[in-house]
Amino acid sequence: MQKIKNLAYLLALSLLLYSCGEYQKVLNKGSVEEKYNMAVKMYETKKFSKALRLFEKITPAYRGKPQMERIQFMVAQSNFNVKTYTTAGYYFDRFTKNYPNSSKLEEAAFLSAYSYKLASPVSSKDPTDTKKALEAFQMFINNYPDSDKLEEANAHYKELRYKLQKKYFDIAKVYYTTADYDMRNYKAAIQAFDNLLSDYLGSEFKEEALFYRLKAAHDYVLKSTERRRPERIKDAIEAYEKLVRNYPNSKFLEDADSMLSTLQKEEIRIAKVLEIIKEKEKV
């Protein structure tokens, strides 16, 4: 029994060594056709890294030829399977542009978007792939409204949109929380919250963004010189009104009302102070 097991092991090892030797021989010295056939064999047996090495060598020879459509799809799919997702997304996207009449067009369009999504990092990192995925899913949803992948595409789109909103919300909040050390960050926070609210009208962060937009404007008033305060008080009160108009029962309403009261008192005080200053200047 042990002898049979040993023979089976030796046979498997021999086949593996032969296969590796054959692959290396074709890779280094094979003709273009032999490399193509070996690349397809490696692809079909799920040895995607080896397939990619061969495809890289033969691609220039097949440009403009019928086989190129199949090669480009296999290159994209191989990159997807070895988890080089950004590269996969790029090649699937190229495939959709180069072969608009292909039977694999819809599949490639979906996989391009999905590849970029898988490459998309956490919200705190560079959002380039997230944006590419979002755009690609939006295009897929527009182009294939009857696709059986539509529900999945919509779910991915929603998830990516949330991720981008969270990134921009977190950036704005960082500006606000660091404004004690650098007053310029109050203005940066206000602008960042405004950008988020205008770019994502139905944002899941809308209520919180409106509150922190008010909070940043309120604190900015209190840190400003008296001559600067009137215009900044007006802006902060408008931020309060926008929050209450959109969320009359906001969970932040108590804090918001307290800030409004402070702003109104400050508005009255500053008006008196400025009037006194004007009178002194006349004298």
Side-chain angles (χ1 to χ4, degrees):
M1 189 68 176
Q2 187 61 40
K3 285 184 178 180
I4 293 172
K5 285 184 178 179
N6 289 340
L7 284 170
Y9 173 76
L10 287 171
L11 179 61
L13 183 61
S14 298
L15 288 171
L16 179 63
L17 290 171
Y18 173 76
S19 175
C20 290
E22 184 187 13
Y23 170 80
Q24 287 297 332
K25 182 180 177 182
V26 172
L27 179 68
N28 295 323
K29 296 181 180 179
S31 66
V32 171
E33 187 177 355
E34 287 172 332
K35 287 176 183 174
Y36 173 80
N37 291 332
M38 179 61 75
V40 172
K41 181 181 176 181
M42 293 295 103
Y43 177 83
E44 290 175 346
T45 55
K46 303 186 185 305
K47 296 171 183 174
F48 300 109
S49 294
K50 288 185 174 182
L52 282 168
R53 290 181 67 191
L54 287 159
F55 284 132
E56 187 179 347
K57 285 181 174 289
I58 65 172
T59 294
Y62 281 98
R63 284 202 179 97
K65 295 182 179 179
Q67 295 93 327
M68 194 60 205
E69 180 180 341
R70 188 184 181 197
I71 289 170
Q72 196 166 66
F73 189 87
M74 287 190 289
V75 166
Q77 187 70 65
S78 295
N79 275 288
F80 182 87
N81 286 317
V82 299
K83 300 183 179 182
T84 50
Y85 294 122
T86 299
T87 305
Y90 168 76
Y91 278 113
F92 278 124
D93 182 53
R94 274 186 60 184
F95 181 89
T96 64
K97 291 177 170 62
N98 292 340
Y99 304 101
N101 299 316
S102 172
S103 60
K104 288 186 173 292
L105 185 65
E106 182 180 332
E107 182 182 0
F110 180 84
L111 286 172
S112 175
Y114 189 50
S115 296
Y116 283 127
K117 179 182 183 287
L118 292 175
S120 173
V122 295
S123 62
S124 60
K125 304 293 184 182
D126 180 7
T128 300
D129 284 323
T130 305
K131 288 179 178 178
K132 286 180 180 177
L134 200 60
E135 290 169 4
F137 274 121
Q138 183 65 74
M139 191 173 294
F140 180 86
I141 291 163
N142 292 342
N143 292 341
Y144 302 99
D146 300 319
S147 172
D148 58 2
K149 289 280 190 182
L150 187 64
E151 187 176 344
E152 186 180 348
N154 277 312
H156 289 312
Y157 180 86
K158 187 176 180 181
E159 182 184 337
L160 289 159
R161 190 172 183 272
Y162 179 88
K163 183 186 285 189
L164 270 184
Q165 290 175 61
K166 186 176 187 312
K167 179 179 181 63
Y168 296 131
F169 177 79
D170 288 345
I171 288 171
K173 205 168 176 183
V174 166
Y175 279 130
Y176 170 70
T177 56
T178 57
D180 278 344
Y181 309 105
D182 186 346
M183 253 192 72
R184 292 173 298 179
N185 285 353
Y186 283 121
K187 194 171 182 180
I190 289 167
Q191 186 62 58
F193 284 122
D194 282 343
N195 290 342
L196 171 64
L197 291 163
S198 63
D199 291 345
Y200 299 94
L201 298 178
S203 172
E204 289 90 336
F205 294 93
K206 184 174 181 178
E207 182 179 358
E208 199 170 355
L210 285 169
F211 172 71
Y212 274 100
R213 194 328 187 158
L214 163 61
K215 200 167 173 59
H218 166 272
D219 293 1
Y220 195 28
V221 167
L222 301 183
K223 294 288 179 72
S224 299
T225 62
E226 292 188 331
R227 286 188 179 276
R228 291 280 190 180
R229 288 190 183 192
E231 60 182 291
R232 291 174 185 171
I233 289 171
K234 182 182 177 185
D235 176 69
I237 290 174
E238 286 175 359
Y240 169 85
E241 290 169 348
K242 191 171 183 180
L243 170 64
V244 174
R245 186 166 60 250
N246 282 275
Y247 299 96
N249 299 310
S250 173
K251 60 185 178 181
F252 302 112
L253 193 58
E254 187 177 341
D255 286 339
D257 285 343
S258 176
M259 284 187 278
L260 177 64
S261 177
T262 300
L263 290 165
Q264 288 172 333
K265 289 173 183 175
E266 190 60 19
E267 189 174 33
I268 293 167
R269 187 189 72 80
I270 287 295
K272 290 178 179 177
V273 168
L274 292 179
E275 189 62 36
I276 292 168
I277 291 171
K278 283 181 183 177
E279 289 299 323
K280 286 183 177 179
E281 286 175 349
K282 285 180 183 178
V283 174

